[in-house]
Amino acid sequence: MGVLCGSMSTDSPATTEAILQSISDGVFTVDEAWCITSFNRAAEKITGVTREEAMGKPCSEVFRSSMCEGACALRKTLETGQPMIAHPCFLVNADGERIPASISTSVLKDKNGKVIGGVETFRDLSELETLRKQISGQYTLGDLVSQSRAMQPVFEMTTSVAHSDITALIHGDTGTGKELLARAIHGMSSRAGKPFVAINCAALPDTLLESELFGYKKGAFTGAIKDREGRFAQAKGGTIFLDEIGEISPSVQVRLLRVLQERTYEPLGSNETHRSDARIIAATHRNLSALVASGEFREDLYYRVNVIRIDLPPLRERKEDLPLLVNHFIERFNRLHNKSIEGLSFGANSLLMGYDWPGNVRELENMIERAFVLCNGSTIEIRHLPQELQGSASAENGSIVPDIGTARRSAEAQAIFKTLEKNNFNRFAAARELGIHKTTLYRKIKALGLRLPS
Amino acid sequence: MKVAITEWQGRVAPVFDVAGTVLILESKTGQALETAPLPLGDPHSKLVYLTERGVHILICGAITRLMLDYAETLGIRISPFVSGEIDEVWTAWRNGTLDEACYSMPGCRRCRRRKGQCK
């Protein structure tokens, strides 16, 4: 069937409408009073506002962009007659989501050339922004680095928490970076210029913890030969970080509750009441609500501490951060040890991906530092890594003994990698040598997180 | 109790996160206490500023969810996605009729319901 071109008028209202409705960019027009006169389907989708709801309403209340109030692009275009092209901004949709967008504007004239309003087109850049972050973006927060989706809520929550003085509870396994996060909150807060005082509540016996926290007067106990101020006093105007708060005894819990409720305390051996204006950040690896249920932790203290809770995911749930963290530690240790190690060998990297990291980021950091000592070349090889990563269950130098699953995965990752390497990364040949089906090999490569040359 | 309304050109400002001016009013007397510029830049600082001014309730236009959650942690109650002339909105709030559809931003009636702002 032949196509008859030019049979349809391109400037008819019906054609214009059809074009507007079919494009993926949002388009709306306004009259000279800034009220919406047309609103296409894509605009409905991006803003979450239906055409019926939008028509006749002020464009700033429909579009809700970051530019509406102070730097309206359409106003500028109508004032100068100059169009604006792809101007970045964000808009807030009906669900309160922040939508990154780019907008373009132009003057709308009638047949006689008289200005009758303006037209604005806008493009949703959400997907593009997500991709950009995935490809190049890394999120840093103080000394925490991540590009993992699992860490995004942590970063978002931290920004909010930092701007307030509320007590925060950080929950996470050992080695996930609880103190680093607390330091980041302090560093982003208005207290950044004041002291950050950290104390590990589990490291000190009861009586010592009390005197450490609240200080003591001369003669309060044997050996108290002079007054000593406690950590709360040292943290004046700043932040006090109480690590492992789940380990403190009932008597210290009572005293801590009073500080949280009334902001006051008395040093040991003193009748004088001191005020504390330090912001409190607590952390634990334990389930505090379970401790409350078992009577080991006071319920009233729990609610005082758990105003805002930030959960740090374990490293095994954000393995995509491993290359980033490895680079971060290599850069740091290169500076510290005056070396110029460039990175990990392919095999060593693969082993890291196959490991479960029970000791989390701290274990990774220790492992890289250990490799720095052993490595004299420019690349950290498998032989520089601890035995547990190489599939052996033997632990050395106090490192953590892996469970059987971790050991099996490490051994499997190593065997697969070596076979692939031997076969020039030919998957079919490697599968045959390993005695498994090609699809099983693919499945295992994926499950173990092995990164192979493309 | 102090109530704040973000203002722009005599109406509720369209987006709280970038709002430049706030009107602070006293709920008991209905009197406006002051019109003040909001801190520029980081929207968190706008909410902190309101807390420092003793504001308990904020009436505003569109607001991102992040700011909505943050306001909650600061103890500020929010009537979000409100539109209209400042005087009318203030009267409606005092009369308990701010939940009426005419004060909702286009497309946001369901949104305000979900957030428990509408009855």
Side-chain angles (χ1 to χ4, degrees), chain A residues 146-167:
Chain A
S146 175
Q147 56 187 9
S148 161
R149 192 175 279 270
M151 283 290 280
Q152 276 186 44
V154 173
F155 285 2
E156 284 173 9
M157 181 75 94
T158 302
T159 313
S160 297
V161 168
H163 287 83
S164 76
D165 268 348
I166 48 175
T167 303

Side-chain angles (χ1 to χ4, degrees), chain A residues 49 127 264 324:
Chain A
V49 181
E127 278 183 30
T264 59
L324 194 67

Side-chain angles (χ1 to χ4, degrees), chain A residues 9 34 45 48 58 71 91 106-107 123 154 167 198 208 210 255 275 317 319 322 333 354 356 363 395 399 403 427 450:
Chain A
S9 166
W34 307 102
K45 193 178 166 200
L91 49 107
S106 138
V107 177
R123 183 167 292 178
V154 173
T167 303
L208 200 54
E210 278 197 65
R255 296 202 67 184
R275 281 200 72 77
E317 287 176 17
K319 278 195 184 170
L322 274 168
F333 292 133
D356 238 12
E363 185 184 7
S399 54
D403 56 49
R427 271 75 152 171
L450 291 177

Side-chain angles (χ1 to χ4, degrees), chain A residues 339-368:
Chain A
K339 286 196 167 188
S340 48
I341 288 176
E342 287 163 12
L344 270 70
S345 72
F346 191 72
N349 253 324
S350 302
L351 281 191
L352 299 198
M353 294 304 285
Y355 187 56
D356 238 12
W357 299 106
N360 290 297
V361 182
R362 189 183 294 136
E363 185 184 7
L364 174 69
E365 184 182 6
N366 292 344
M367 192 214 71
I368 301 279

Side-chain angles (χ1 to χ4, degrees), chain B residues 75-91:
Chain B
I76 300 177
R77 268 170 41 214
I78 297 202
S79 287
F81 296 98
V82 172
S83 72
E85 300 284 338
I86 292 287
D87 292 346
E88 291 173 13
V89 164
W90 178 230
T91 306

Side-chain angles (χ1 to χ4, degrees), chain A residues 169-182:
Chain A
L169 176 67
I170 301 170
H171 181 264
D173 291 350
T174 303
T176 46
K178 296 189 285 290
E179 184 170 338
L180 289 183
L181 184 61

Side-chain angles (χ1 to χ4, degrees), chain B residues 7-118:
Chain B
E7 186 267 338
W8 181 59
Q9 296 189 339
R11 293 177 70 83
V12 177
V15 179
F16 171 80
D17 301 50
V18 291
T21 309
V22 67
L23 180 65
I24 299 177
L25 308 109
E26 175 55 54
S27 63
K28 261 187 199 163
T29 60
Q31 295 299 304
L33 300 173
E34 62 173 325
T35 302
L38 280 166
L40 296 171
D42 186 356
H44 291 90
S45 59
K46 297 180 198 291
L47 287 170
V48 171
Y49 173 83
L50 294 178
T51 315
E52 287 167 356
R53 295 267 158 159
V55 168
H56 284 96
I57 292 172
L58 168 66
I59 300 169
C60 63
I63 179 168
T64 53
R65 218 179 287 155
L66 197 63
M67 287 304 106
L68 210 55
D69 293 343
Y70 185 51
E72 201 174 293
T73 65
L74 292 179
I76 300 177
R77 268 170 41 214
I78 297 202
S79 287
F81 296 98
V82 172
S83 72
E85 300 284 338
I86 292 287
D87 292 346
E88 291 173 13
V89 164
W90 178 230
T91 306
W93 184 83
R94 296 197 81 205
N95 294 338
T97 56
L98 193 59
D99 297 337
E100 287 179 3
C102 59
Y103 299 111
S104 282
M105 285 188 133
C108 299
R109 179 107 180 111
R110 293 158 313 213
C111 179
R112 291 181 67 193
R113 264 213 187 98
R114 273 204 302 279
K115 292 181 193 312
Q117 305 297 324
C118 295

Side-chain angles (χ1 to χ4, degrees), chain A residues 132-143:
Chain A
R132 189 176 55 77
K133 278 182 180 170
Q134 278 174 359
I135 293 165
S136 65
Q138 81 180 45
Y139 303 87
T140 59
L141 193 74
D143 277 344

